[in-house]
Amino acid sequence: MSATPQGATPYYYVPAESSHPVMAAIGLFFMILGAGTWINGHEWGMYSLFFGLIWWLSILFFWFRDAARESEAGLNSRKIDLSYRWSMSWFIFSEVMFFGAFFTALWWARVHSVPALGSLSNELLWPNFQAVWPSVAAGATASPAGIVEPFKTVGPFWLPTINTALLLTSGVTLTIAHHALQVNNRARCISFMWMTVILGFVFLCVQGYEYHHLYTEYNLKLNSGVFGSTFYMLTGFHGFHVLVGMLMLFFITIRLMKGDFTDKSHFGFEGAAWYWHFVDVVWVFLYILVYWM
């Protein structure tokens, strides 16, 4: 709420009408249209996808720039700040549900689908199928339809464990940076923010190397049955979230170096930190349920 003379009616800052949401939706439309057509063999879909991506990212840049300027100008009232916090909370909740769906798919395949395929009632339908997890690995002789090539599974050592250490360490460095900002130690905050960004980047490099190793030496691919599809959907989408979170922290660090945020007003920092800690927690579950079990 803006400061007003005594006795005057207080007013709240309301952002002006903006075309950013509509323009961003147009970019998403071209991205979805392009992805769908490209997957189905139409080459022009590739151009639509990349056009939509460039359009969407450009709109987000101007949109976030306007939001940052409003915040630094002191225009955001307590109500607006609260709306940002609720919005980020609901967004993270939606991401929890997103990953929950894939974790549930993994659990259902292991506990229900594979044992059902190996039951006596399916012996005539799948005579050579062995109800082990994952199928076509760990000694199984054939997939239910005979269309999945044999592959090797991946354990927790050593690349997944290294990545776990990297992400957990990044959570610590981010917390230190937050505490430094709260006591107005900007130099310390920026240093630990760069550490966090670098740790996130190294995580992505290690995961990329792991994917190459799995594809070329283990023959573990996205079409390697339900194990391959759930493995790459969970680890791949998590890797994408790490990329998004790393970019968020990168731009927050740039803003810190420009002098943005104070010890009392820094929700942009806090929102990115919430997201990064969410990514850390998801990885811990993924590390245990996918690589260990």
Side-chain angles (χ1 to χ4, degrees), residues 67-254:
R69 286 177 175 176
E70 291 172 356
S71 175
E72 292 304 312
L75 299 177
N76 291 346
S77 66
R78 187 183 66 85
K79 290 291 186 180
I80 292 179
D81 181 75
L82 188 62
S83 72
Y84 280 142
R85 295 178 183 276
W86 272 110
S87 298
M88 193 66 187
S89 299
W90 282 113
F91 170 67
I92 293 177
F93 175 76
S94 71
E95 295 287 272
V96 171
M97 295 295 100
F98 176 85
F99 279 100
F102 290 113
F103 278 119
T104 303
L106 175 66
W107 169 78
W108 185 266
R110 294 185 60 172
V111 177
H112 294 281
S113 299
V114 171
L117 288 172
S119 64
L120 292 176
S121 61
N122 284 320
E123 181 63 27
L124 295 177
L125 186 61
W126 313 115
N128 295 321
F129 179 72
Q130 296 181 19
V132 297
W133 178 263
S135 58
V136 203
T141 58
S143 65
I147 59 174
V148 179
E149 298 177 357
F151 59 86
K152 295 181 181 179
T153 58
V154 55
F157 301 109
W158 281 100
L159 296 180
T161 301
I162 292 173
N163 263 349
T164 302
L166 289 171
L167 269 191
L168 293 180
T169 303
S170 72
V172 174
T173 58
L174 179 58
T175 301
I176 294 174
H178 189 198
H179 288 168
L181 181 59
Q182 289 177 321
V183 297
N184 207 24
N185 189 338
R186 186 171 296 268
R188 179 180 174 85
C189 175
I190 293 173
S191 297
F192 278 92
M193 284 294 288
W194 278 120
M195 291 182 193
T196 307
V197 172
I198 292 172
L199 287 169
F201 177 75
V202 174
F203 175 94
L204 292 175
C205 292
V206 173
Q207 188 173 53
Y209 175 80
E210 179 191 29
Y211 275 11
H212 178 266
H213 176 70
L214 295 179
Y215 256 73
T216 57
E217 298 188 28
Y218 282 24
N219 200 39
L220 179 59
K221 303 176 180 178
L222 186 62
N223 60 358
S224 297
V226 67
F227 178 84
S229 60
T230 53
F231 174 84
Y232 283 109
M233 290 297 283
L234 278 166
T235 59
F237 270 117
H238 178 269
F240 173 74
H241 283 71
V242 171
L243 174 63
V244 172
M246 184 194 70
L247 291 176
M248 292 169 63
L249 295 176
F250 171 77
F251 288 113
I252 291 296
T253 305
I254 297 300

